Amino acid sequence: METGCAAVLPSGGGGTRIKMNEKALRILEYPKIREMLVACAGSFPGRQKCQALLPSQDLQGAQRMQTETADALRRIYEKGSVSFSGVKDMRADIARLQIGGSLSITELLDVAKLLETAARVKSWEDKPSEKKPEPAVVEEGAAHWTKNRQMAAGEAGAGAGRRESGEEADQPEKDSLTELFCGLEPVPSLVREIRRCILSEDEIADDASVNLRRIRRQISLSEERIHSQLQQMVNGPARAFLQDAVITQRDGRYCLPVRSEYRSQVPGMIHDQSASGQTIFVEPMAVVKLNNDIRTLEAEEKKEIEKILQELSEKAAEQSDALISDIQILSELDFIFARAVLAKKMNATQPDFNEQGIVDIRGARHPLIDRRRVVPVDIRLGEDFDQLVISGPNTGGKTVSLKTIGLLEIMGLSGLHIPAKEHSRLSMFTEIYADIGDEQSIEQSLSTFSSHMTNIVSFWKAADEKSLVLFDELGAGTDPEEGAALAISILAHLHSRGIRTVATTHYSEVKIYALSTDGVENACCEFDVATLRPTYRLLIGVPGKSNAFAISKRLGLPDEIIEDAKGRIADEQESFESVISDLESRRVSMEKAESAMTKDQAEIRRLRRSLEEQEKKLAESKDKILEKARQQAADLLRDTKQYADETIRAFNKMSGNAISARDMERRRTALRGKMDEMEASRKKEKEKTPHKAVDARKLQVGDSVKVLSLNLKGIVRSLPDKSGNLDVQMGILHSVVNVKDIELLDEVSIKGPSYEHTSTGRVRISKSASVSPEINLLGMTVDEAVSVLDKYLDDAAIAHLDEVRVVHGKGTGALRAGVQNFLRKNKHVQSYRLGEYGEGDAGVTIVKLK
């Protein structure tokens, strides 16, 4: 056994079990969930545990089982699946061993398989986790597992830090299953001995004992002598008396097939004859003794095998405690991993439990409905209200919602993960009562109403504040007025007793009761009036309409009947239905407004990020320009000092040496030329800096300016405000700058459309007045786009645009490829690139013009 692991036997799983009323389990279809769980188990004892699974009635038991399921699911995601197929419930056989009994070959092989399974499971637990990529589509269950794994990784990192400091060295990470895995005892020595002695269910190895090898060797030698003697008879004179020249066996003794008429010619013992009587099978006297010897040796072989099995059984009996422990642990692990496998198949998550009667299931899916078709619903109960009244049309999902809350409660209390979003909350209910469906009994002469009332009476006597009660169509099956009154009365009394209740109804009176009673809330299954179909969404806080008229119309009922029916509805009822319709329409409008607002907020966040990135780039560009200017000034100063020093050294040298006037003049001329170059360079750099302030009052829209901090040319798009800030369009870049940061250019201001006369006397409008820095090619073919883009680039070049933005979209990439192929050859294009994040990404190409 590994260091740090204590042998532990499972407690039986899940604490105290409740014998929840079988009727509720059956109505909520819990047995089908158990059947799905049984199919996930790998051993017979594990399947038995799955079949007997019932909800827990104590919080600690339910939470412990949920933790076990979560830990097993984490292992499956990290290490893959594990098999428990070699586990059998051998406790009765092991009890026989403990009182000195012996096991058969098959039973000993089962012992070996059990121990081999224990070894395989233990080694699976010890192997390192497989590095799997994170799920591409983060589903709820996978995301929950990923979060747990990240938390575990964080804890492991903390443990590593402790180990570096010398604390808790070599201590493996533990969870709820660690002790179970550590408690497995494979007993490899016993497995090796069983496998050495037993080759199969029908064969014991010759090497099982020295005596068995000797006996089998003697049997083999005796058989060879018998065959030799009988072969001599077959090939000798006796051949004429034989039906066939073969050696056969009868009752385990070697014989010859002799013709019946030659019986006296072959002395020996007759063991059998053919059906026709023409052939008799004779054991010749010459081999009788040898056959007897073989029979004696076979008896000895049987006794020796029994002795070997007894010795193996004794060795197994010495490990009886380990065997019983392995059976219990492996059965429990199989049970736990079956729950994890089911959770993986359902994409289920671990719920949170409370004892305050609060249920908050988000994105709940009924586990028996195809995941591709089921519509997730959000169900709340017990926090702001303890009763929920669900209304809406038939086939709209009311009963499914009712069953979902009951079934997920039972699954959670049974230690099963639930198909819902993570951190959904379940309450610790000790009993669930469900009156769902029509269970009228002809034998008991019970009508539908009587059947429902019988159930309600039984609930009434047994339910308490720790119960959950589910009613489907409460008060149905009788006079509507009386049924509605009974339904309200039943709900009111349950409400007064603090019993959590969910009921479905078509009665308007019950909806009004929910609207007017504190602690009671309406809900409805949404119905799309436009398509006349249910959406199966559960909306809490809004009463639902039955929509009988709309459904009837969709099913083909004539309009005149529907109109006549509408005229027979009481004014009060019609008014109430109108209020519900108004509430519904307002809800839909609010949802649309909320959706639009969410999109707007997302767009605002995107634009804000884009603006922040642009500001960051501008700041970086400004810093680079200033740094470059500082560097150039430092270089100029250094060069000036260097040449000044050289001049002084030259004159000092010339003053101390006889030098011709011609040499001095040559040196002076070279120095003057260098100084002239430096001065020209200085003037050129000076031209790049503002040499005169811009009068804000003289600026006009369309003036060409240079933004000094960015070293970019642009066009004034607005006059300066009180602070001196104005809008400047620099190619595709639009920015607000201060008047102190700009310089007027000598280029002609673009104040509006300018005109020039052509040779024909016609007036041509200047392109620079109307060219946009962006062109949109979406929806065009490549040929159309290239033609439009060619003309646009000509116009942009005439307008002196430095950079333009070509919008072609992502799509299949064909339009983008065609556009860039054209840009590669165009005479106006200096370079181009795909847009970056915030510029349009791969759907835009930024073109820099010459």
Side-chain angles (χ1 to χ4, degrees), residues 366 390 396-404 436-437 472-473 504 525:
H366 196 289
I390 304 175
K398 300 191 302 298
T399 303
V400 171
S401 298
L402 198 65
K403 284 187 173 182
T404 299
I436 301 174
D472 188 26
E473 301 296 345
T504 68
C525 288

Side-chain angles (χ1 to χ4, degrees), residues 7 19 55 137 143 212 214 256 316 418 423 426 503 526 541 562 683:
K19 186 66 174 178
V137 178
L212 182 62
R214 179 189 61 78
L256 295 176
I418 61 173
H423 297 307
L426 298 178
E526 188 180 46
I562 294 174
K683 288 181 177 180

Side-chain angles (χ1 to χ4, degrees), residues 295-539:
R295 281 299 180 87
T296 301
L297 289 171
E298 287 175 346
E300 291 181 14
E301 179 188 30
K302 185 177 180 181
K303 289 181 180 179
E304 184 62 22
I305 290 175
E306 290 176 353
K307 180 181 177 182
I308 293 170
L309 295 180
Q310 181 61 40
E311 290 175 354
L312 290 175
S313 298
E314 290 173 358
K315 292 180 180 180
E318 294 173 0
Q319 304 294 337
S320 59
D321 291 341
L323 292 173
I324 292 175
S325 175
D326 284 347
I327 291 171
Q328 292 176 327
I329 292 176
L330 288 172
S331 301
E332 185 71 11
L333 285 173
D334 189 16
F335 176 43
I336 294 170
F337 274 85
R339 304 200 303 261
V341 170
L342 183 62
K344 186 171 182 287
K345 289 181 178 179
M346 291 183 176
N347 191 31
T349 63
Q350 180 179 355
D352 298 333
F353 283 101
N354 66 85
E355 294 185 289
Q356 289 76 45
I358 298 174
V359 177
D360 185 4
I361 310 175
R362 297 177 296 110
R365 307 182 307 274
H366 196 289
L368 299 178
I369 301 178
D370 189 345
R371 283 175 54 188
R372 294 168 296 183
R373 297 191 301 108
V374 66
V375 177
V377 295
D378 296 337
I379 304 173
R380 302 193 314 273
L381 182 68
E383 196 163 20
D384 300 324
F385 49 87
D386 57 20
Q387 280 191 351
L388 186 64
V389 176
I390 304 175
S391 52
N394 289 325
T395 71
K398 300 191 302 298
T399 303
V400 171
S401 298
L402 198 65
K403 284 187 173 182
T404 299
I405 184 174
L407 183 55
L408 265 55
E409 267 288 343
I410 296 174
M411 289 176 62
L413 295 174
S414 301
L416 302 175
H417 283 7
I418 61 173
K421 292 182 179 179
E422 61 177 320
H423 297 307
S424 291
R425 292 187 290 173
L426 298 178
S427 180
M428 193 63 228
F429 292 119
T430 57
E431 185 60 275
I432 297 177
Y433 299 99
D435 179 46
I436 301 174
D438 185 2
E439 295 191 344
Q440 61 179 334
S441 172
I442 298 176
E443 293 82 1
Q444 299 177 11
S445 300
L446 294 177
S447 65
T448 299
F449 179 75
S450 300
S451 175
H452 286 307
M453 282 301 110
T454 302
N455 291 335
I456 292 170
V457 170
S458 64
F459 300 171
W460 189 268
K461 295 178 180 178
D464 57 22
E465 65 277 3
K466 291 186 178 182
S467 301
L468 173 65
V469 179
L470 307 174
F471 291 119
D472 188 26
E473 301 296 345
L474 180 60
T478 187
D479 179 77
E481 290 188 8
E482 294 181 356
L486 278 172
I488 294 172
S489 180
I490 291 169
L491 291 174
H493 281 78
L494 291 174
H495 180 47
S496 66
R497 292 164 59 184
I499 298 174
R500 304 295 187 266
T501 308
V502 183
T504 68
T505 186
H506 283 290
Y507 293 140
S508 299
E509 294 86 347
V510 179
K511 302 174 193 177
I512 295 173
Y513 157 76
L515 282 171
S516 59
T517 307
D518 291 336
V520 184
E521 188 60 87
N522 268 302
C524 71
C525 288
E526 188 180 46
F527 186 83
D528 190 342
V529 180
T531 62
L532 300 180
R533 293 182 181 276
T535 66
Y536 303 104
R537 290 177 57 202
L538 184 66
L539 306 173

Side-chain angles (χ1 to χ4, degrees), residues 114-124 184-188 330:
L114 172 68
L115 295 175
E116 286 168 345
T117 302
R120 183 177 68 249
V121 172
K122 198 174 183 71
S123 64
W124 176 86
L184 291 173
E185 298 186 49
V187 196
L330 288 172

